[in-house]
Amino acid sequence: MSLRFTNSLTSRTEAFEPLTEGKASIYCCGVTVYDLCHLGHARSYINWDVLRRYLIWRGYDVTYVQNYTDIDDKILNRADEEGITMQAVSERNIEAFEVDMGRLNILPADRMPRATGCIEGIQTLISELESKGAAYSSDGDVYFDISKAKNYGKLSGRDPNDQQQGASGRTADGEESRKRHPFDFALWKGAKAGEPSWESPWGPGRPGWHIECSAMVRQELGQTIDIHLGGGDLVFPHHENEIAQSETANGTTLAKLWMHNGMVNVGGTKMSKSLGNFTTIRALLDSGISPMTLRLFVLQAHYRKPLDFTAESLEAAATGWKGLNAALSLGDRHGESLGWSISAPLTEGAMTANGGPADTALVEFEQRFISAMDDDLNSSGGLAVLFDLAKPLRALANRLERGEDAALPEPELKDLEGRWQLLRHLAAVLGLRSEAEAATSLDDGAIHAAIAARKAAKAAKDYAEADRIRDELVAQGVELIDKPGGVTEWIRA
């Protein structure tokens, strides 16, 4: 079966057929840099990072562009609140974005244009729309006339005859009265006192929200691209308006394929600052959640489905990652003693689907992975392959960590080495990498003493003390395994 994705424009799963064979041009809507990124951003950018990595692995020459919106009412409001400039707010949050994405092992885009760096292209695009009668001026603002767009609403299914207020997105007070139709949207906003502005044929002002992406797509990738990405919340009005203005100006299709990720819920309720269930990436990682645990948590759900964030689901992801991490770390920690050939860390440039492993069983694992990922980027199916590969590796890692004799026949060792190499190879396609195991200051004697104290506490029915000892060991990277007959084994988790 061919590589295929669900196209939001047609609501069908379609074979991926790029404009140029072997190449893929991708534009991803980026962040408005007024604050730290939240869990919804993590969900979106992890999913699209996997899409990009997988296309590279499948042999495509990928050009990936993601923008920064660095001029917006939210940024200006934040600057006013803090008594600093718009540029200072933007620079601070761009730097924070790059740090957060790096912690999550998200590859930097090939190019990351800023709205403020594309003013000339934005004004040119607006002028073209004006010359075609698709834009009009009103009190210093310039609006797009949706009646001039073909099939407006084709992405979102919205009926332009529905007189919905605020349809242009991010509207200002009094703006509706300056528009011919509620769905008309701002291309250029006249400057207000004290705001940053640029000179233009319509007077000093700044770009509207939607026109930025249309101009940056054209500037960086051309009039038509292969894939346009974003969160489900951008379908309307942002992406609908992008299509309208780009296709009216250019006279051609903006994107062959539109892909949107599902939203993030917290305990079954949509994540929102107003509801107090808002979580930033930084706060989550600084609380002790490992970056790869968060990445695994996101990839366990299909990118188009809602993702429900709960303490229980995150704990389950942490448990799953602990086992997978043990398997991924096996060669690095014990490869020399096992006689394995430890290659340099895999990089995206080295990943290729060609020349796969010769062992039949490993080929089957790889084909299962490809079948899952080819089917609309089924990351949960890809993860299932990784967990199957990891099972015997984790068992061996646990034996070695306990100091047991792990001498195995040469054929079995070679089989495990092949599994480990394939595991780390496929994990890299999903952006998963081994993390350093928790350091512990306890030597083996101290651990055995703590186990004995816990056993004595349980015998005295002081279960609170027994639990405290277990929790303290876990905090120091030691996991206890209670077995029948009162035997307790341990591993450095």
Side-chain angles (χ1 to χ4, degrees):
M1 298 179 71
S2 62
L3 176 60
R4 55 207 182 278
F5 303 115
T6 295
N7 190 346
S8 301
L9 190 63
T10 63
S11 298
R12 294 195 301 265
T13 302
E14 303 170 355
F16 179 55
E17 297 176 350
L19 294 161
T20 303
E21 186 176 357
K23 296 184 181 239
S25 54
I26 303 176
Y27 183 86
C28 179
C29 279
V31 290
T32 300
V33 287
Y34 74 100
D35 205 348
L36 294 173
C37 289
H38 53 68
L39 188 57
H41 293 123
R43 199 272 166 96
S44 185
Y45 298 137
I46 287 171
N47 284 141
W48 304 142
D49 181 63
V50 169
L51 170 67
R52 180 186 180 191
R53 287 172 181 267
Y54 186 65
L55 287 172
I56 293 171
W57 186 68
R58 295 288 270 136
Y60 289 91
D61 179 7
V62 177
T63 302
Y64 190 94
V65 175
Q66 182 172 312
N67 75 297
Y68 289 119
T69 294
D70 61 343
I71 172 67
D72 184 86
D73 287 341
K74 293 180 179 179
I75 302 173
L76 294 172
N77 291 339
R78 183 59 55 85
D80 286 342
E81 290 170 7
E82 299 184 17
I84 58 178
T85 65
M86 175 190 76
Q87 291 84 352
V89 173
S90 297
E91 290 298 335
R92 180 184 70 203
N93 288 303
I94 287 172
E95 181 179 346
F97 172 86
E98 292 173 352
V99 170
D100 290 346
M101 296 301 106
R103 292 175 74 180
L104 293 174
N105 198 27
I106 292 172
L107 299 172
D110 294 311
R111 296 190 290 277
M112 299 197 76
R114 303 185 185 193
T116 56
C118 194
I119 299 298
E120 182 178 349
I122 289 169
Q123 292 185 357
T124 298
L125 188 54
I126 295 172
S127 295
E128 291 174 14
L129 290 168
E130 196 173 41
S131 68
K132 292 187 176 187
Y136 60 91
S137 299
S138 178
D139 295 332
D141 296 342
V142 182
Y143 294 95
F144 182 86
D145 183 347
I146 65 158
S147 70
K148 306 300 183 182
K150 293 182 179 178
N151 302 317
Y152 185 84
K154 64 182 179 180
L155 179 67
S156 63
R158 299 286 184 116
D159 183 354
N161 294 317
D162 177 7
Q163 303 295 306
Q164 176 182 337
Q165 297 298 308
S168 65
R170 302 187 184 183
T171 57
D173 290 342
E175 185 177 16
E176 297 300 323
S177 64
R178 298 194 292 275
K179 300 192 299 183
R180 297 173 182 171
H181 187 283
F183 274 31
D184 291 353
F185 54 90
L187 301 171
W188 188 260
K189 297 182 178 183
K192 295 179 181 178
E195 285 187 352
S197 64
W198 289 262
E199 291 299 323
S200 80
W202 316 281
R206 57 185 173 89
W209 176 31
H210 315 297
I211 195 68
E212 299 171 3
C213 286
S214 285
M216 284 186 272
V217 168
R218 190 164 77 168
Q219 172 182 288
E220 300 292 340
L221 296 169
Q223 294 185 345
T224 303
I225 63 174
D226 291 308
I227 307 175
H228 199 307
L229 304 172
D233 58 327
L234 297 180
V235 171
F236 186 86
H238 186 51
H239 288 166
E240 191 70 74
N241 292 347
E242 265 194 79
I243 291 173
Q245 62 201 6
S246 290
E247 296 188 356
T248 300
N250 299 331
T252 189
T253 301
L254 173 56
K256 292 190 66 177
L257 175 67
W258 289 83
M259 296 176 69
H260 294 92
N261 63 271
M263 305 308 294
V264 173
N265 298 323
V266 178
T269 303
K270 181 180 177 180
M271 188 178 71
S272 168
K273 282 187 176 180
S274 62
L275 296 176
N277 60 358
F278 182 85
T279 304
T280 67
I281 297 170
R282 183 153 301 184
L284 194 61
L285 297 183
D286 287 350
S287 73
I289 302 300
S290 82
M292 292 299 101
T293 290
L294 180 55
R295 193 168 180 118
L296 179 68
F297 169 69
V298 168
L299 296 179
Q300 285 176 330
H302 192 276
Y303 76 90
R304 290 190 296 111
K305 303 296 184 183
L307 178 65
D308 198 21
F309 179 80
T310 65
E312 294 77 15
S313 60
L314 197 59
E315 184 178 349
T319 300
W321 172 245
K322 183 183 293 185
L324 194 57
N325 188 40
L328 281 169
S329 304
L330 176 60
D332 296 323
R333 292 175 60 82
H334 301 286
E336 184 176 350
S337 64
L338 294 170
W340 290 0
S341 174
I342 309 302
S343 60
L346 290 171
T347 63
E348 286 65 45
M351 291 192 297
T352 172
N354 301 321
D359 183 271
T360 301
L362 297 185
V363 169
E364 290 177 356
F365 277 115
E366 188 177 59
Q367 287 305 310
R368 279 178 52 203
F369 181 84
I370 291 172
S371 295
M373 297 295 287
D374 274 4
D375 186 13
D376 198 20
L377 210 67
N378 181 3
S379 57
S380 61
L383 283 172
V385 176
L386 266 61
F387 279 110
D388 285 347
L389 279 167
K391 286 177 184 176
L393 297 170
R394 182 184 180 188
L396 176 58
N398 286 341
R399 292 201 302 273
L400 291 170
E401 290 300 320
R402 290 196 297 267
E404 297 179 4
D405 182 6
L408 296 170
E410 183 64 23
E412 187 173 347
L413 272 178
K414 292 301 293 182
D415 174 68
L416 290 171
E417 180 183 2
R419 275 179 172 260
W420 177 68
Q421 295 286 6
L422 182 59
L423 172 65
R424 64 199 293 265
H425 186 81
L426 298 183
V429 179
L430 298 182
L432 294 167
R433 60 189 179 192
S434 62
E435 293 178 319
E437 296 183 1
T440 176
S441 59
L442 299 178
D443 59 23
D444 290 4
I447 294 171
H448 287 300
I451 291 174
R454 175 173 174 265
K455 185 175 181 179
K458 290 173 73 175
K461 300 188 183 303
D462 188 353
Y463 299 112
E465 174 64 10
D467 290 342
R468 186 197 65 77
I469 294 171
R470 173 189 280 276
D471 292 343
E472 187 175 283
L473 288 171
V474 168
Q476 297 187 70
V478 178
E479 179 181 346
L480 303 184
I481 305 169
D482 291 324
K483 295 195 169 185
V487 174
T488 299
E489 296 182 351
W490 60 273
I491 59 172
R492 298 188 191 274

